[in-house]
Amino acid sequence: MQSTSSSSVRSSTLSRLPVARLAFRPFFLLAALFSVLSMGVWFAFWHGDILLRPVGGLMFWHQHEMLFGFAAAVVAGFLLTAVQNWTGLPSLKGGPLLALVGVWLAGRLLMAFPLGLPAWLPVLVDLAFLPVVAGVMARLVIAAKRWRNLVFLPALALLVLANLAMHLGVLTGDAELIRQAAYLAVLLVTLLMVVVGGRVIAMFTANRLGLTRRPPIPALETLSLGSVMAVVLGQLLVMLGVAIPGVLLAALMGLAALANAVRLSRWGGLYSWREPLLWGLHLSYAFIPVGLAMWALAVLGTFRAELAVHALTIGGMGTMMLAMMSRVSLGHTARPIRTLPGIGVALGLMVAAALLRSPVLALFPQITHWTYNLGIIFWCLAYGIFLVHYTGPLLSARADGKDG
């Protein structure tokens, strides 16, 4: 009885810690910090300094950790916060939330510092994170019968599969499996951006600017989402060793690019130029059709797929996550939703980094070294600005004194 009482007291104490009240707090903060640190290591690597001897080597570590370290943390923070609003049920908080954060941190540490441990141990720890996130999502969505949010569960399950495949590629020395699994992960996060972007960007824009929101066209919505799903399925088959005609994959990517470009054009982005938190979302979403169109051309042999991938990862993921974190962190801490000083510059730096790393590099491949350097520096500056403004609010109680 005394032990149970002590556990309850500890749980209550942890729940009162501001950082443990909702998932966006620890995961947004740690994701931003981790991205700056890991990009710093990547910058040193390009200049000949080996600061780490991580699992799989630094090339593997960079691509894996930006997907399953940085991006996975942001996705977890967003989904485990949003699911509370979607379902009306309390999400993960207190001790259980901090335990999940501990799993994520353990994965990052073991991936960076394997310490001569058995090869399977870092893999198991790293793989444990996303299934727990999916389990919490599933429990709340099913309990509340909010079936439209089940779309996130197969995406999370396939992210776990992609993560496992990347690790298996390292363990077996299969570089092609690593590459195709990383591509699948990029496309899965792109799919999540298409789903979430479709739900909030037009709404945020209309509400903030006082515009009349244009009603969605059901056929266009279905095509925008369905075509990206088809691209994901095609890439899944490629990863599993099924031969998919390049022309077919390129056609699916081209269709997805066109549908999502038309979809974006209906959301009032041209009116958002004075609001960085809005134009950051619109421009980040624009990199989805840009990246998919470039990838279609890459499949046809025009240039390297890596350029298209970075349009999606830096321009799409990196920029949208920065814009969403900047907005969500204000709204969910009961602070006015406004663009804090320098956040517009940060979003502009992310867009510039994406342009340098994909379209510009495609046109001028001889300036590779400069684009790599500037892209990394711009990312670190952008997320450093976020940390300066948001570390305090994310570690502090809500401005209105309520829980959350």
Side-chain angles (χ1 to χ4, degrees):
M1 181 69 73
Q2 186 174 3
S3 175
T4 302
S5 177
S6 299
S7 297
S8 300
V9 170
R10 284 196 299 270
S11 177
S12 176
T13 301
L14 289 174
S15 295
R16 286 197 295 269
L17 288 174
V19 74
R21 289 185 177 180
L22 274 176
F24 76 94
R25 290 176 175 272
F27 283 119
F28 286 3
L29 184 60
L30 287 172
L33 179 60
F34 178 72
S35 78
V36 173
L37 293 175
S38 59
M39 280 296 200
V41 171
W42 190 234
F43 184 83
F45 172 69
W46 276 107
H47 288 265
D49 297 315
I50 307 297
L51 301 182
L52 294 177
R53 296 193 180 277
V55 171
L58 273 163
M59 294 289 285
F60 170 82
W61 180 81
H62 170 69
Q63 58 183 324
H64 179 274
E65 290 301 278
M66 293 309 292
L67 289 168
F68 294 105
F70 164 72
V74 177
V75 168
F78 178 83
L79 290 181
L80 292 179
T81 300
V83 73
Q84 180 165 291
N85 295 333
W86 297 337
T87 64
L89 300 174
S91 187
L92 209 62
K93 62 177 59 178
L97 173 57
L98 293 180
L100 181 61
V101 172
V103 172
W104 180 86
L105 279 171
R108 309 293 58 80
L109 289 171
L110 287 178
M111 290 297 295
F113 307 102
L115 302 174
L117 296 169
W120 54 266
L121 184 56
V123 174
L124 287 182
V125 174
D126 178 54
L127 286 171
F129 177 66
L130 285 175
V132 177
V133 175
V136 174
M137 284 280 298
R139 178 176 61 82
L140 296 176
V141 168
I142 293 171
K145 298 181 180 179
R146 301 294 185 182
W147 307 121
R148 74 187 291 244
N149 295 308
L150 285 176
V151 66
F152 295 103
L153 299 180
L156 289 172
L158 287 176
L159 273 172
V160 174
L161 178 62
N163 193 8
L164 174 61
M166 288 191 75
H167 283 296
L168 290 176
V170 170
L171 294 174
T172 61
D174 189 342
E176 183 62 15
L177 178 59
I178 294 172
R179 186 165 68 96
Q180 298 301 336
Y183 287 174
L184 177 60
V186 169
L187 291 170
L188 284 165
V189 179
T190 300
L191 174 61
L192 293 177
M193 291 191 295
V194 169
V195 174
V196 173
R199 292 187 181 187
V200 303
I201 295 177
M203 178 183 67
F204 288 166
T205 304
N207 291 348
R208 177 64 177 170
L209 301 179
L211 303 174
T212 300
R213 185 179 173 185
R214 299 172 72 178
I217 301 172
L220 178 60
E221 294 299 301
T222 300
L223 183 61
S224 298
L225 185 57
S227 57
V228 177
M229 287 181 172
V231 171
V232 168
L233 178 59
Q235 181 56 37
L236 173 63
L237 294 174
V238 170
M239 187 192 77
L240 294 175
V242 178
I244 301 292
V247 172
L248 174 59
L249 198 55
L252 289 173
M253 289 179 170
L255 178 62
L258 178 61
N260 281 282
V262 174
R263 187 192 199 202
L264 174 62
S265 72
R266 297 173 45 81
W267 291 346
L270 294 178
Y271 302 101
S272 68
W273 61 275
R274 289 185 177 179
E275 296 283 349
L277 290 184
L278 291 179
W279 61 248
L281 289 173
H282 285 272
L283 284 180
S284 65
Y285 198 94
F287 273 99
I288 295 175
V290 168
L292 290 170
M294 290 180 66
W295 205 330
L297 293 173
V299 169
L300 298 176
T302 305
F303 42 68
R304 303 192 314 276
E306 170 214 353
L307 300 175
V309 167
H310 281 89
L312 292 172
T313 53
I314 302 174
M317 289 180 215
T319 309
M320 184 177 289
M321 288 176 178
L322 180 59
M324 288 295 291
M325 289 194 299
S326 298
R327 183 186 179 90
V328 169
S329 298
L330 293 175
H332 278 279
T333 57
R335 288 165 171 80
I337 298 176
R338 61 187 182 90
T339 304
L340 299 180
I343 294 297
V345 173
L347 290 166
L349 287 170
M350 290 300 299
V351 172
L355 291 173
L356 284 171
R357 196 62 180 80
S358 47
V360 170
L361 191 55
L363 294 173
F364 305 101
Q366 67 274 17
I367 59 172
T368 300
H369 184 71
W370 284 102
T371 58
Y372 280 18
N373 285 335
L374 287 176
I376 294 169
I377 292 169
F378 288 175
W379 180 297
C380 291
L381 288 173
Y383 276 87
I385 292 170
F386 174 87
L387 287 168
V388 167
H389 280 298
Y390 286 93
T391 298
L394 289 171
L395 295 176
S396 304
R398 284 174 58 99
D400 58 6
K402 295 181 181 179
D403 190 22

